[in-house]
């Protein structure tokens, strides 16, 4: 079983739609959680950190459920420019630096 | 300011050849990381440097992989006797954080796409 699991998609949605991605992680001792965005043939870039209380950044909302070992990302009012792969990322407790990436969920926003 | 740069951007090697991939981190960044990203997968951790010290090489897949950062800035990832399964994008990242600190953002370079024929 992979340490971080995501639905690969693709999620194909119209502009303006709301879309949600989920991710599960296996190590209950994991301490930090992130969503990264990766455009085709580009490097990953940090989208947002995920906090236990949930956090919002504009159209993006991230949630963490430690009991279920589950992370989510909600995108409201999708834009064409949101089309990318969204990587769920976990920082394990035994390391302050190592990142464990999921395989990513691909989002396609159509006009 | 300048981000993380990597060279070459693309490398084609014949099976059995040695390759060297270069990473120039963001100036002043203490920590440097190498990741391997296979097609359709997320990046996988290879190795970590704090300044010139290689503190974690647990992700290197075999002894054919070797990384160095002799002066604590530029790093080179070397792959000896390349195999087809080495074909992947090799990403370098850097951050300000030191081992004792809490997590800090890693900034990624554009990667080197290695194809082994």
């Amino acid at each position: 079983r992979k340490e971080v699991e995501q639905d690969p998609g693709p999620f194909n949605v119209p502009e303006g739609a709301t879309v949600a991605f989920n991710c599960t992680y296996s190590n209950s001792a994991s301490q930090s959680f992130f969503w990264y965005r990766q455009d085709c043939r580009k490097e990953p870039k940090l989208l947002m950190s995920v906090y236990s209380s949930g956090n919002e950044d504009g159209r993006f909302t991230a949630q963490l459920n430690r009991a279920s070992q589950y992370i989510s990302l909600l995108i409201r009012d999708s834009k064409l420019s949101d089309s990318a792969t969204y990587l769920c990322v976990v920082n394990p407790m035994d390391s302050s630096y190592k990142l464990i990436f999921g395989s990513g969920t691909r989002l396609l926003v159509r006009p | 300011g300048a981000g993380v740069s990597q060279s070459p951007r693309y490398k084609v090697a014949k099976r059995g050849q040695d390759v060297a991939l270069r990473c120039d981190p963001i100036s002043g960044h203490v920590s440097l990381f190498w990741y391997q990203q296979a097609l359709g997968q997320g990046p996988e951790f290879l190795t970590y440097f704090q300044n010139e010290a290689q503190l974690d090489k647990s992700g290197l897949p075999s002894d054919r992989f070797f990384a160095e950062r002799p002066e604590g800035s530029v790093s080179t990832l070397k792959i000896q006797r390349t195999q087809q399964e080495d074909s992947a994008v090799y990403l370098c990242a850097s951050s300000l954080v030191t081992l004792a600190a809490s997590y800090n953002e890693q900034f990624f370079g554009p990667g080197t796409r290695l194809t082994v024929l």
Side-chain angles (χ1 to χ4, degrees):
Chain A
R1 183 187 170 192
K2 287 188 175 181
E3 287 192 63
V4 179
E5 299 212 50
Q6 298 181 248
D7 180 344
F11 285 64
N12 192 324
V13 303
E15 267 189 295
T18 296
V19 62
F21 307 137
N22 302 320
C23 163
T24 57
Y25 60 95
S26 59
N27 186 344
S28 60
S30 297
Q31 58 180 353
S32 303
F33 309 88
F34 311 92
W35 284 100
Y36 272 70
R37 171 192 168 131
Q38 187 170 28
D39 292 290
C40 188
R41 293 182 172 264
K42 299 286 189 180
E43 70 272 23
K45 292 184 179 179
L46 180 65
L47 178 65
M48 59 196 304
S49 300
V50 187
Y51 304 116
S52 296
S53 55
N55 48 299
E56 189 174 308
D57 182 2
R59 298 181 293 109
F60 298 83
T61 300
Q63 297 273 356
L64 167 64
N65 184 323
R66 285 190 182 270
S68 301
Q69 294 177 211
Y70 169 99
I71 305 160
S72 66
L73 177 68
L74 182 77
I75 305 176
R76 290 180 299 278
D77 188 23
S78 300
K79 310 292 184 191
L80 295 176
S81 57
D82 294 335
S83 297
T85 296
Y86 291 83
L87 297 162
C88 178
V89 187
V90 171
N91 177 218
M93 186 175 183
D94 61 344
S95 165
S96 63
Y97 57 85
K98 189 178 292 186
L99 297 180
I100 309 296
F101 286 80
S103 296
T105 298
R106 192 168 170 214
L107 172 64
L108 301 172
V109 181
R110 64 181 187 270
Chain B
V4 178
S5 61
Q6 293 185 244
S7 61
R9 292 294 311 279
Y10 302 91
K11 177 70 179 177
V12 178
K14 291 183 180 178
R15 191 163 56 94
Q17 281 185 331
D18 297 349
V19 298
L21 313 180
R22 177 187 168 108
C23 172
D24 284 83
I26 294 172
S27 178
H29 276 196
V30 169
S31 298
L32 185 144
F33 310 84
W34 284 98
Y35 291 84
Q36 180 190 60
Q37 186 171 22
L39 189 63
Q41 301 296 314
E44 291 199 8
F45 171 83
L46 295 178
T47 187
Y48 162 60
F49 289 86
Q50 182 180 331
N51 295 307
E52 69 280 2
Q54 188 175 21
L55 298 185
D56 186 340
K57 53 182 181 179
S58 62
L60 295 177
S62 76
D63 58 8
R64 296 187 295 104
F65 287 72
F66 172 76
E68 59 183 4
R69 193 186 185 198
E71 297 178 359
S73 55
V74 171
S75 177
T76 303
L77 176 66
K78 297 179 179 178
I79 309 173
Q80 297 176 325
R81 303 182 303 280
T82 52
Q83 304 294 316
Q84 284 188 321
E85 62 263 28
D86 299 335
S87 296
V89 175
Y90 290 86
L91 293 162
C92 177
S94 70
S95 76
L96 282 170
V97 72
T98 58
L99 186 61
S102 58
Y103 175 78
N104 207 337
E105 183 177 355
Q106 294 182 21
F107 296 86
F108 284 81
T112 295
R113 184 175 297 272
L114 174 65
T115 302
V116 181
L117 303 176

